[in-house]
């Protein structure tokens, strides 16, 4: 019997897509948020439904509060309730600081930080009423150590760390767990600009001598959503192969 439910932002591609697959394999009913990649989201919805999972793709720009509220209404009407919210949608720009415009800065903070704010704000009232819920935010190892040519991105991901810790304190008494994963380099389109030389260098810097897979991150998110993680909140789980120890 499928009984647990999840809303995943940015589930059309990359890490979010794999989170949806891993949760559905673990008997979750899923709502897949997407923004621009409609075809990919619809294909994933079909793939999950064909495998016997309840899945619904919902379009929303996480930057837009009204769109997020509508998405959450649709998710609750489809799922009944939201046991887990995964704030995965995110963008990076990869530009030296001198070339980073005000527009770049605002865009990164809008999607990565305001998007997380909008989704938490829209999902929390229902979780607080039920006195139960889990939220997993997707930060980045760069939010902890900072990355050259990624100042805006690193700052936005550090904001998610602070956001997670503060909100975990505030809603802990309502039995809501809020944690973060901080992935290292993961093989997705976000890193398509890296050449083989860069990749080899980065592989060499991890203790496990490899680049991460989308499954590595999805499994960590699944754990933080599980009953086994009931006493864990406000934590940042690095999924980086020992890049930063
Ligand atoms: P990706 O392959 O580029 O996918 C990004 C996802 O975010 C897409 O599904 C995209 O949806 C969605 N998205 C972007 N803007 C959105 C918006 N305004 N509203 C709703 N959805 C939006 O990236 P990824 O590598 O899977 O990254 C996923 C998360 O992991 C991000 O938060 C990223 O910062 C974090 N992360 C990634 C790495 C890495 O090495 N890949 C490392 C650390 C952290 P559409 O295509 O439908 O617009």
């Amino acid at each position: 019997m499928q009984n647990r439910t999840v809303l995943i932002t940015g589930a059309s591609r990359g890490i979010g897509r794999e989170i949806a697959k891993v949760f559905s394999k673990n008997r979750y009913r899923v709502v897949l948020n997407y923004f621009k990649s409609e075809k990919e989201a619809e294909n994933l919805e079909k793939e999950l439904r064909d495998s016997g999972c309840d899945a619904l793709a919902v379009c929303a720009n996480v930057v837009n509060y009204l769109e997020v509220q509508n998405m959450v209404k649709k998710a609750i009407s489809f799922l009944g309730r939201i046991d887990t919210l995964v704030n995965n949608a995110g963008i990076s720009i990869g530009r030296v600081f001198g070339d980073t415009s005000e527009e770049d800065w605002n865009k990164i903070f809008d999607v990565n930080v305001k998007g997380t704010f909008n989704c938490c704000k829209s999902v929390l009232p229902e979780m607080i009423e039920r006195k139960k819920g889990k939220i997993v935010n997707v930060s980045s190892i760069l939010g902890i150590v900072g990355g050259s040519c990624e100042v805006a991105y690193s700052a936005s991901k550090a904001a998610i760390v602070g956001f997670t810790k503060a909100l975990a304190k505030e809603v802990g008494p309502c039995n809501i767990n809020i944690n973060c994963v901080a992935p290292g380099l993961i093989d997705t389109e976000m890193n398509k600009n890296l050449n083989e030389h860069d990749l080899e260098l980065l592989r060499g810097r991890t203790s496990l001598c490899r680049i991460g897979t989308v499954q590595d991150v999805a499994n960590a998110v699944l754990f933080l959503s599980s009953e086994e993680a009931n006493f864990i909140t406000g934590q940042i789980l690095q999924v980086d192969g020992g890049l930063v120890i």
Side-chain angles (χ1 to χ4, degrees):
M1 192 185 72
Q2 289 185 333
N3 49 17
R4 290 178 67 77
T5 61
V6 63
L7 166 61
I8 305 154
T9 68
S12 51
R13 298 184 285 113
I15 293 170
R17 180 185 171 82
E18 186 61 25
I19 292 172
K21 287 173 142 188
V22 165
F23 272 69
S24 78
K25 273 191 204 128
N26 283 272
R27 311 176 82 83
Y28 277 73
R29 301 166 60 229
V30 300
V31 168
L32 318 157
N33 158 253
Y34 67 95
F35 179 31
K36 293 186 179 152
S37 306
E38 184 178 10
K39 195 129 214 79
E40 288 86 344
E42 282 174 355
N43 288 344
L44 179 61
E45 178 193 275
K46 184 173 181 313
E47 186 184 323
L48 298 184
R49 285 187 176 199
D50 287 350
S51 69
C53 165
D54 280 346
L56 178 71
V58 179
C59 179
N61 177 0
V62 293
V63 175
N64 185 307
Y65 187 55
L66 281 181
E67 286 186 33
V68 171
Q69 284 204 308
N70 282 332
M71 167 180 77
V72 169
K73 273 190 202 135
K74 282 183 196 163
I76 292 175
S77 117
F78 180 73
L79 300 170
R81 63 179 192 278
I82 298 171
D83 290 319
T84 298
L85 163 68
V86 182
N87 285 306
N88 164 77
I91 56 168
S92 68
I93 288 184
R95 207 159 277 171
V96 293
F97 186 64
D99 289 346
T100 303
S101 64
E102 184 188 2
E103 197 190 333
D104 293 335
W105 179 272
N106 289 340
K107 205 171 157 198
I108 290 239
F109 269 75
D110 269 354
V111 178
N112 296 358
V113 187
K114 190 176 167 206
T116 300
F117 167 85
N118 285 343
C119 293
C120 289
K121 189 114 176 104
S122 305
V123 164
L124 270 171
E126 190 262 342
M127 287 184 174
I128 289 171
E129 204 176 294
R130 281 191 298 114
K131 287 213 171 310
K132 199 169 165 62
K134 308 242 190 223
I135 298 179
V136 184
N137 296 325
V138 180
S139 177
S140 164
I141 200 67
L142 298 187
I144 298 168
V145 298
S148 167
C149 301
E150 295 281 10
V151 172
Y153 179 77
S154 301
S156 75
K157 292 296 180 177
I160 290 174
V161 170
F163 177 97
T164 301
K165 291 184 177 184
L167 196 56
K169 288 183 179 173
E170 196 167 315
V171 299
C174 299
N175 193 32
I176 296 165
N177 306 59
I178 306 196
N179 291 291
C180 236
V181 289
L185 186 72
I186 308 298
D187 185 16
T188 70
E189 261 181 59
M190 193 173 266
N191 297 311
K192 63 177 186 289
N193 56 326
L194 296 176
N195 60 35
E196 195 40 50
H197 175 72
D198 297 333
L199 292 173
E200 200 45 50
L201 270 178
L202 287 158
R203 263 184 217 116
R205 285 198 203 152
T206 65
S207 302
L208 296 175
C209 307
R210 69 172 176 89
I211 281 158
T213 64
V214 288
Q215 291 88 349
D216 291 323
V217 183
N219 289 334
V221 173
L222 181 71
F223 166 67
L224 290 173
S225 305
S226 70
E227 300 288 316
E228 284 72 25
N230 277 352
F231 202 49
I232 301 175
T233 198
Q235 300 305 304
I236 316 304
L237 178 56
Q238 290 177 209
V239 186
D240 67 351
L243 180 67
V244 177
I245 295 179

